[in-house]
């Protein structure tokens, strides 16, 4: 967690604080009150990728509110919104995880909450005073991809119907130069396993870019890349906003040539690399 103090002149200062975990599992955070003497706004940046960070955030907000008698606005930046994929109840007895997380954040009463490339329209709708940075704004930070898309060198692949709006938005941003081809996947409704992937267009001899928001284990993109290769694509690249890569990059070897992702889920130095795949982190 990084905490910044903003003063009246617009200067932004990183604030140090003490933090540790008691033997009973309780999280503890302590600030130096003098660090906030000239503060007019507080900004918290955190990657909420495990439960302990949620508790640390809650404790930090309480301490900061006590320091300012709740008079100083506190803003939160969480690039990856946790539980975003649990945005519907598919089976009776499940929780609506996105709503649970949104309620947790809303109860902390931030002046603004910034997230990056929400998984669906559900998360922004649940959060109070939210700013959702769109995928295209993040992709544009990569000069290489921007250049290749603006010239039409790359053909955009939408991996499924859910990603089609964002993929079309990318093409529109680059004046319609990139061709857009839709893919679709069929799953076993009981197991969730992908049983078939189809490409609704011609990729013979083309260099393609798959764009999506989240990559966890990568099965969707592995199966899609297999079909793209079999249909004659000569280069397959992948842009992912939130790169979890829980199975590592090795699973993409021989299928995907280059992977681009932001540092939303983990800091750049925490990513593993792979000598057989071009891997670029777009730091924000």
């Amino acid at each position: 967690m990084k905490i910044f103090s903003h003063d009246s002149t617009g200067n932004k200062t990183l604030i140090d604080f003490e933090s540790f975990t008691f033997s009973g599992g309780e999280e503890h955070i302590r600030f130096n009150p003098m660090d906030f003497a000239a503060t007019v706004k507080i900004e918290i940046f955190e990657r909420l990728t495990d439960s302990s960070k949620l508790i640390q955030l809650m404790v930090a907000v309480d301490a900061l509110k006590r320091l300012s008698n709740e008079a100083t606005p506190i803003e939160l930046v969480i690039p990856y919104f946790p539980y975003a994929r649990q945005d519907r109840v598919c089976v009776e007895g499940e929780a609506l995880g996105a709503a649970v997380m949104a309620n947790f954040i809303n109860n902390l009463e931030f002046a603004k909450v910034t997230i990056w490339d929400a998984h669906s329209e559900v998360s922004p709708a649940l959060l109070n005073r939210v700013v959702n940075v769109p995928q295209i704004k993040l992709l544009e930070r990569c000069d290489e991809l921007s250049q290749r898309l603006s010239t039409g060198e790359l053909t955009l692949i939408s991996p499924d119907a859910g990603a089609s709006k964002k993929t079309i938005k990318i093409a529109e941003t680059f004046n319609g130069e990139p061709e857009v081809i839709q893919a679709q996947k069929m799953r076993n409704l009981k197991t969730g396993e992908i049983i078939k992937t189809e490409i609704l267009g011609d990729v013979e001899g083309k260099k393609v870019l798959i764009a999506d928001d989240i990559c966890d284990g990568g099965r969707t993109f592995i199966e899609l890349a297999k079909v793209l290769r079999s249909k004659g694509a000569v280069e397959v690249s992948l842009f992912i906003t939130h790169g979890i890569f829980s199975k590592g990059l090795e699973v993409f070897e021989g299928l995907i040539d280059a992977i681009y992702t932001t540092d939303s889920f983990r800091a750049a130095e925490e990513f593993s690399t792979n000598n057989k795949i071009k891997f670029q982190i777009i730091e924000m």
Side-chain angles (χ1 to χ4, degrees), residues 158-178:
S158 175
D160 52 38
S164 60
K165 287 184 180 180
K166 294 180 182 179
T167 308
I168 292 171
K169 183 63 177 178
I170 294 171
E172 290 175 345
T173 300
F174 292 101
N175 300 316
E177 288 297 334

Side-chain angles (χ1 to χ4, degrees), residues 135-199:
Q135 182 187 51
I136 182 58
K137 293 300 182 183
L138 304 168
L139 186 151
E140 284 180 307
R141 295 290 296 270
C142 180
D143 293 337
E144 178 187 345
L145 286 181
S146 295
Q147 175 64 26
R148 299 184 73 189
L149 287 166
S150 65
T151 60
E153 179 185 351
L154 294 175
T155 294
L156 283 164
I157 304 294
S158 175
D160 52 38
S164 60
K165 287 184 180 180
K166 294 180 182 179
T167 308
I168 292 171
K169 183 63 177 178
I170 294 171
E172 290 175 345
T173 300
F174 292 101
N175 300 316
E177 288 297 334
E179 179 186 5
V180 177
I181 293 178
Q182 182 68 51
Q184 60 184 19
K185 55 191 175 185
M186 298 177 59
R187 292 184 182 270
N188 182 311
L189 296 180
K190 290 184 178 180
T191 65
E193 181 182 358
I194 298 173
I195 56 178
K196 186 178 181 181
T197 299
E198 294 183 338
I199 308 295

